[in-house]
Amino acid sequence: MELRFEIRRSDLPWVDSVWTCTSEQVTAMTSVAGVRWGLVFWEQDGRPYAAVTGPETRTSTAPVPEGAVFTGIDFAVGTSLRVLPTPELVDGGVELPDTTRRSFRLDGARWETPGADDAEALVERLVASGIVVRDPLVADVLRGHEPAVSGRTVERRFRAATGLTRGAVRQIERARTAAELLAAGDTAADVVAKLEYFDEPHLARALRTYVGRTVGQLREGVGGAIALDLDQRLTS
């Protein structure tokens, strides 16, 4: 009973990663908090589906279509859809109508359904059409740059582009990294030091809130299916 992920990073500035996932005898999973919106395509019982997924601010339990095969595009923080502002997608998502094996409908037009190998080609077409947009200020802030605008302006544009505060993005990303380190064998004390948590109880609270796992479960690889690639099958 597991979810099998394959994930690769993307060279496009609008895309964080492209992933595929298959579910084997899984009917429910632990959904993990995440800061990115995405496009997801899947097929179940011969029927194709497509959806826009939003950032998630907390962990939850989510149903999994048994035997489904997924392809997903996780967009970079700071990108957004013209027709669906990211703040409207937080802790939710939208299933796209009129999806076939070959195409899906988005923003009033039909687009070819991508596979993992041609996901970037789809994104480039969406960008060229003005459907996917990007606020460069957000990318600069995430790289540690100090923009020549007020802090209030930065926070307003950050929220508009991501649906989240800068603090929430940092907390969620840190908890996800902590989960990956613990699954790879790091001790709780190591993770506290590496990621600058105040102490181990602080780490434990973050994991409960954002990942839905304890330190012990992550180190032992137990707790059931989880929407996080803890096997580190990450390629470039």
Side-chain angles (χ1 to χ4, degrees):
M1 298 177 60
E2 62 179 328
L3 300 174
R4 293 185 176 272
F5 284 95
E6 294 288 344
I7 305 175
R8 64 173 175 81
R9 297 295 185 202
S10 175
D11 293 330
L12 287 186
W14 301 279
V15 179
D16 178 74
S17 59
V18 177
W19 55 271
T20 60
C21 177
T22 57
S23 60
E24 298 182 359
Q25 297 181 330
V26 175
T27 58
M29 68 177 180
T30 299
S31 182
V32 177
V35 301
R36 295 169 181 83
W37 68 277
L39 286 172
V40 182
F41 308 90
W42 73 100
E43 188 168 321
Q44 181 191 12
D45 297 330
R47 180 182 172 186
Y49 300 85
V52 180
T53 59
E56 296 181 62
T57 61
R58 57 189 179 274
T59 184
S60 62
T61 300
V64 177
E66 189 172 357
V69 179
F70 300 84
T71 298
I73 304 170
D74 283 347
F75 286 79
V77 177
T79 62
S80 57
L81 277 173
R82 178 177 62 190
V83 71
L84 285 171
T86 308
E88 296 181 11
L89 294 168
V90 173
D91 291 323
V94 177
E95 186 172 323
L96 299 177
D98 196 19
T99 299
T100 71
R101 280 197 176 94
R102 294 191 176 184
S103 66
F104 66 101
R105 186 174 296 279
L106 178 65
D107 200 2
R110 294 205 69 82
W111 305 90
E112 184 177 349
T113 301
D117 294 335
D118 52 7
E120 281 88 354
L122 168 65
V123 173
E124 288 178 323
R125 291 193 293 272
L126 295 173
V127 170
S129 300
I131 291 174
V132 171
V133 296
R134 178 171 173 260
D135 187 340
L137 180 143
V138 174
D140 287 344
V141 168
L142 291 173
R143 287 194 294 265
H145 297 169
E146 291 293 336
V149 295
S150 70
R152 181 175 296 180
T153 297
V154 170
E155 193 62 41
R156 176 179 56 80
R157 286 177 58 176
F158 202 95
R159 279 179 175 268
T162 69
L164 305 169
T165 65
R166 285 185 285 172
V169 169
R170 285 193 298 268
Q171 292 171 31
I172 292 169
E173 292 282 74
R174 182 165 64 162
R176 291 172 67 99
T177 299
E180 292 166 356
L181 291 173
L182 289 163
D186 282 26
T187 65
D190 289 338
V191 173
V192 167
K194 286 180 181 179
L195 301 183
E196 298 181 347
Y197 281 100
F198 182 73
D199 54 19
E200 291 188 26
H202 183 202
L203 168 63
R205 287 193 298 272
L207 292 173
R208 285 197 303 271
T209 300
Y210 300 120
V211 182
R213 289 287 189 275
T214 66
V215 169
Q217 286 174 323
L218 289 163
R219 285 179 53 82
E220 296 166 17
V222 299
I226 187 169
L228 192 64
D229 182 24
L230 297 179
D231 291 335
Q232 301 297 293
R233 289 190 292 273
L234 187 64
T235 60
S236 60

